[in-house]
Amino acid sequence: MDSTHKHRHASKDQAAKVLQGASAKEAALEQKLTEKTLHGHEAAMDHRAMEHRGQHAGHDTIPMGMPGHDHHKMMIEDFKKRLWICLVLTIPILIFSPMIQGFIGYEWRLPGNAYVIFGLASVVYFWGGWPFLKGFYSEVKAKGPGMMTLISMAISVAYFYSSATVFGLKGMDFFWELATLIDIMLLGHWLEMKSVLGASKALQLLVSMMPAVAHKVQGDQVEEVKLEDLAIGDVILIKPGEKVPADGSIIEGESYLNESMLTGESKPVKKGLDSKVIGGSLNGNGSLKVKVEHTGKDSYLTKVITLVQEAQKSKSKMQNLSDRAAKWLTYGALAIGFGTLAVWVLLGFPFVYALERMVTVMVIACPHALGLAIPLVVAISTAVSAQNGLLIRNRTAFEESRKISALLFDKTGTLTKGEFGVTRIETIDDHYSADELLRLVSALEQSSEHPIAVGVVNKAKEKNITIPTPENFQAITGKGVKAQVDGKEIKVVSPGYLKDEKVTVPEAAFGSAAETVVFVLIDDKLIGYIALADTIRPESARAIHVFKKNHIKVMMATGDNEVVAKAVSSALGLDNYYAEVLPHQKVEVVKALQAKGEFVAMTGDGVNDAPALAQADVGIAVGSGTDVAAETADIILVNSNPQDIANLILFGKATYSKMIQNLIWATAYNAFAIPLAAGVLYSTGFVLGPAVGAVFMSLSTIIVAVNAQLLRRKISGSR
């Protein structure tokens, strides 16, 4: 456990009470959801059993470091341990099996050979098969037979029939079939559990945005208090660089606050007397005294948490394809199995012979291939997609990405870089170059944390310009700054300063509504200007062209202002945009599109995007954003490249196609082998025996495995 994880875990008790307002009702709701999720793992020991009950992986609210998160890791390790031990025990079972020896053509017996195999097979059945037997109980209790029922039925019939042959029943044992079936099913489930992450850590990450303590002001004294001890009306001190511990109003001081990950506003916002501050935002270089107005469940951040919870719980689920196939195979195997027994008995054949026919049908009914059909595709697509810049958290959303008809983008950090950067440097005096202008302005801005200053200085560093040291630095209240550089008076000012000083603003100064422009005067003579903006990613326009070519509507929802939103939308040619929207309004936009029949994908990177990411049919987080957005999303773009979303859609189509193909291969084996095992061709002298059935079983498994591997070629070819 790393230090960050420890810190978050340690502060959970302190911060959770504040964020949830010490509300017993909310605490009970979260506990109920956590218990329900844990019950899904414990009852079925299988990820798909959770899906069967509508609890989709990646969307259950279990914070990182909490029991469910650790439990998921324990489950993966448990399946791995059972798999390896059962594989070791399977080797002697295969070597000493009379059926395998007869099939290969050798004979090697030990004293008490049958009892040795029985003992080894018993360990494999009761210990290796325990997850499936437990899952069978869960499915029966839920009145929804699926893969667990099918597996348990096959291994139980094989075990108890084979055990009976050891102790006197006439017939041939199926211990080798039992062992290999359990091995492959353990492998399939282990691969599947590894390919998807555990329960969502979104709420814990939201909690971690809040500091553990606050600086409470009492007269002339400042003391540290826990967040849950803050009350409305308290005055708190927020030092430079600290996180704001509660919503409130500034009663003393001014500073720039970074709220981009909470509101979507692309640049730090200047806050002064009576300005509102939001808990979780980051203070700049000024000290603030804030009067607390909202705590606990009434705070902005807690409302975002609630929205995430509601959206995650209300999101529709798609039942796993292999579970649905297993459900019908279960019904079919039971019907055909008992039907086979009845028919052979009615035809006058010995009961032992009829029983052998029935057992053969029941064992063959659970194909090894079906246990690998989906997990192999999931494991391969997840791994290869990660190599190509896509991290899949929710496999069903990934498969359904092929249906996307509308894409809703956040602006800041998604379509744009999320940085206030220099877009233009213009000089109107031939004696000064653009680089010289940048050098002089950087001298004045290098000590400031103002977003314009940071953008200018970053540009100078990018161009490897040596920044000189200014002298006699002074602020021009509300208008800019001035200082002496190289013996000249340099002023960096706003358009308002030029207006006050009756200086004519160059006509070409304001090229875009999204730009902020500062002007440079040397010895009171205007020599040029620098324009800055949250720059659009170069990949955004190309990506949007691809989406429109594929008849996907592209829209933007941003917390930024109308002017900036309109400028970005026009530059990229979006179908529509929504400006100055809060988290709950982004969710409403998603819901409105879904109500019109659109299959919506939401892409974002901030806390304010988290509820909409959870509500969308497919939530996509860009890797440069917050952990909260990433943990709420179904898929994460590692490289923050909008073009990767186009590849995502192609990946989803290829993955879904391979799953369908593998299910067809897996179930076609059953459709062919079960009637033959039942004896429909008995009149011709052919009855499918266990040994021949094993050949079909192995062939089906190999075909499924090879077909899944071909997915690598398809995904790589789509890049």
Side-chain angles (χ1 to χ4, degrees):
M1 182 183 294
D2 59 28
S3 59
T4 302
H5 193 146
K6 288 179 180 177
H7 172 75
R8 289 175 177 172
H9 186 70
S11 63
K12 169 69 178 176
D13 292 338
Q14 296 175 338
K17 292 180 183 177
V18 178
L19 289 177
Q20 299 194 19
S23 167
K25 183 177 180 181
E26 288 184 350
L29 177 63
E30 184 176 354
Q31 179 65 24
K32 183 177 180 181
L33 180 60
T34 301
E35 288 174 354
K36 186 175 182 181
T37 304
L38 290 177
H39 174 73
H41 281 303
E42 291 169 349
M45 298 282 281
D46 176 53
H47 179 70
R48 284 175 300 190
M50 185 193 301
E51 290 178 341
H52 174 73
R53 291 191 302 277
Q55 294 296 322
H56 213 344
H59 286 275
D60 298 303
T61 310
I62 303 181
M64 183 177 180
M66 296 302 285
H69 180 79
D70 295 334
H71 191 77
H72 185 78
K73 289 182 178 178
M74 290 168 60
M75 296 301 301
I76 294 175
E77 288 303 312
D78 182 71
F79 267 90
K80 181 180 178 181
K81 181 171 69 174
R82 290 175 192 270
L83 170 62
W84 283 110
I85 292 176
C86 287
L87 278 173
V88 171
L89 295 176
T90 299
I91 295 173
I93 293 175
L94 290 173
I95 292 174
F96 296 120
S97 172
M99 186 181 295
I100 296 297
Q101 291 184 14
F103 183 71
I104 297 177
Y106 75 96
E107 185 173 345
W108 185 18
R109 302 292 175 91
L110 293 175
N113 192 75
Y115 298 104
V116 172
I117 298 176
F118 167 72
L120 294 172
S122 295
V123 176
V124 173
Y125 173 73
F126 286 107
W127 190 73
W130 178 245
F132 309 113
L133 298 173
K134 201 171 183 181
F136 162 68
Y137 172 76
S138 177
E139 289 182 350
V140 170
K141 188 177 180 181
K143 298 180 181 178
M147 179 64 80
M148 292 298 170
T149 302
L150 191 56
I151 297 170
S152 298
M153 182 181 68
I155 63 176
S156 296
V157 167
Y159 176 74
F160 289 110
Y161 174 80
S162 300
S163 298
T165 63
V166 172
F167 295 100
L169 182 70
K170 199 174 177 182
M172 186 173 285
D173 71 75
F174 289 87
F175 284 134
W176 69 274
E177 176 84 16
L178 161 74
T180 54
L181 179 55
I182 289 176
D183 291 344
I184 290 184
M185 291 305 170
L186 284 172
L187 172 63
H189 284 71
W190 177 58
L191 286 173
E192 185 173 9
M193 292 182 75
K194 278 195 68 178
S195 67
V196 293
L197 296 179
S200 175
K201 297 176 286 185
L203 295 187
Q204 174 64 15
L205 288 165
L206 283 170
V207 168
S208 72
M209 289 191 66
M210 297 295 285
V213 296
H215 306 296
K216 184 177 177 180
V217 179
Q218 292 184 317
D220 295 332
Q221 302 295 318
V222 177
E223 63 173 333
E224 282 194 355
V225 298
K226 296 179 180 179
L227 263 65
E228 60 263 35
D229 294 334
L230 284 179
I232 295 174
D234 284 347
V235 175
I236 53 177
L237 174 67
I238 305 166
K239 299 176 182 179
E242 290 186 339
K243 291 180 179 179
V244 178
D247 297 354
S249 296
I250 296 175
I251 60 173
E252 184 181 312
E254 66 175 37
S255 183
Y256 283 89
L257 269 70
N258 187 338
E259 299 177 341
S260 61
M261 293 309 171
L262 290 163
T263 65
E265 175 62 44
S266 57
K267 54 187 177 182
V269 181
K270 185 177 181 179
K271 301 280 187 176
L273 187 65
D274 296 329
S275 296
K276 304 291 184 182
V277 297
I278 301 173
S281 57
L282 184 64
N283 188 22
N285 62 342
S287 292
L288 300 173
K289 285 186 179 179
V290 173
K291 186 176 182 180
V292 176
E293 294 181 347
H294 299 294
T295 61
K297 64 181 180 181
D298 296 322
S299 69
Y300 179 92
L301 194 56
T302 301
K303 289 176 181 177
V304 174
I305 291 174
T306 303
L307 286 169
V308 173
Q309 280 184 315
E310 291 175 352
Q312 286 182 343
K313 286 185 286 185
S314 64
K315 190 170 184 176
S316 61
K317 310 298 190 291
M318 185 184 80
Q319 195 176 26
N320 186 282
L321 287 173
S322 58
D323 265 343
R324 295 195 317 216
K327 176 180 178 180
W328 290 108
L329 278 173
T330 301
Y331 293 146
L334 288 170
I336 297 174
F338 287 109
T340 298
L341 177 67
V343 168
W344 285 108
V345 170
L346 291 174
L347 289 175
F349 284 80
F351 178 79
V352 172
Y353 181 82
L355 181 63
E356 183 179 343
R357 293 291 92 223
M358 184 196 79
V359 171
T360 304
V361 167
M362 302 282 272
V363 172
I364 288 177
C366 184
H368 294 50
L370 185 59
L372 289 177
I374 301 300
L376 268 179
V377 173
V378 170
I380 291 171
S381 64
T382 301
V384 178
S385 294
Q387 295 167 7
N388 289 273
L390 295 170
L391 296 182
I392 301 169
R393 299 188 66 252
N394 180 342
R395 75 167 184 267
T396 301
F398 173 66
E399 294 155 20
E400 293 201 322
S401 62
R402 71 191 190 282
K403 300 178 184 177
I404 294 172
S405 62
L407 265 171
L408 185 65
F409 281 95
D410 171 51
K411 178 186 73 68
T412 307
T414 306
L415 291 175
T416 66
K417 292 182 178 180
E419 302 168 356
F420 211 63
V422 174
T423 54
R424 293 181 296 138
I425 302 175
E426 303 288 348
T427 64
I428 56 175
D429 188 321
D430 294 338
H431 293 92
Y432 295 93
S433 65
D435 283 356
E436 177 63 10
L437 189 68
L438 181 62
R439 185 182 78 90
L440 294 172
V441 173
S442 298
L444 275 68
E445 304 286 21
Q446 61 185 311
S447 299
S448 174
E449 291 188 12
H450 190 286
I452 290 176
V454 173
V456 169
V457 173
N458 285 342
K459 187 67 174 179
K461 291 179 179 178
E462 179 185 315
K463 297 174 73 89
N464 295 318
I465 293 174
T466 301
I467 302 175
T469 302
E471 298 176 351
N472 301 322
F473 181 91
Q474 297 178 45
I476 306 174
T477 306
K479 303 290 176 63
V481 293
K482 65 179 181 179
Q484 295 287 325
V485 181
D486 297 340
K488 302 172 184 177
E489 184 182 65
I490 312 297
K491 292 180 181 178
V492 181
V493 297
S494 67
Y497 179 88
L498 299 187
K499 183 179 179 181
D500 292 345
E501 297 297 321
K502 305 294 191 294
V503 178
T504 303
V505 177
E507 291 184 6
F510 300 99
S512 167
E515 289 182 330
T516 296
V517 182
V518 295
F519 296 87
V520 186
L521 290 82
I522 297 182
D523 295 331
D524 290 327
K525 178 185 178 182
L526 181 64
I527 63 165
Y529 52 88
I530 297 177
L532 302 95
D534 182 10
T535 54
I536 295 173
R537 291 183 186 275
E539 309 93 350
S540 295
R542 294 193 295 270
I544 289 167
H545 174 73
V546 173
F547 300 137
K548 289 192 171 184
K549 188 177 179 181
N550 285 275
H551 310 291
I552 296 174
K553 301 180 184 70
V554 186
M555 289 156 277
M556 178 179 69
T558 177
D560 228 332
N561 63 70
E562 172 73 20
V563 173
V564 173
K566 184 177 181 180
V568 173
S569 177
S570 299
L572 292 173
L574 303 182
D575 293 302
N576 198 2
Y577 71 90
Y578 306 87
E580 300 177 19
V581 289
L582 296 173
H584 71 277
Q585 293 171 320
K586 287 190 178 185
V587 173
E588 293 305 318
V589 170
V590 173
K591 287 181 178 179
L593 290 170
Q594 290 171 329
K596 294 178 182 178
E598 302 287 358
F599 196 86
V600 183
M602 170 70 192
T603 303
D605 71 332
V607 172
N608 64 314
D609 301 317
L613 286 169
Q615 175 63 39
D617 297 293
V618 180
I620 306 167
V622 296
S624 61
T626 63
D627 288 345
V628 176
E631 289 300 332
T632 307
D634 302 308
I635 297 154
I636 302 167
L637 303 184
V638 177
N639 301 317
S640 305
N641 186 346
Q643 282 188 295
D644 283 340
I645 301 174
N647 294 320
L648 160 69
I649 296 171
L650 295 176
F651 292 177
K653 288 180 178 179
T655 298
Y656 187 80
S657 176
K658 282 297 175 190
M659 287 182 172
I660 296 298
Q661 290 172 20
N662 270 3
L663 284 174
I664 291 173
W665 278 114
T667 54
Y669 153 76
N670 292 80
F672 178 73
I674 289 177
L676 295 180
V680 295
L681 295 181
Y682 180 80
S683 60
T684 66
F686 178 80
V687 176
L688 183 67
V692 179
V695 174
F696 278 107
M697 173 204 74
S698 301
L699 181 61
S700 177
T701 303
I702 291 170
I703 291 173
V704 164
V706 171
N707 191 45
Q709 290 295 333
L710 293 177
L711 183 63
R712 294 180 183 274
R713 186 181 303 172
K714 288 204 171 194
I715 291 181
S716 299
S718 69
R719 292 293 294 176

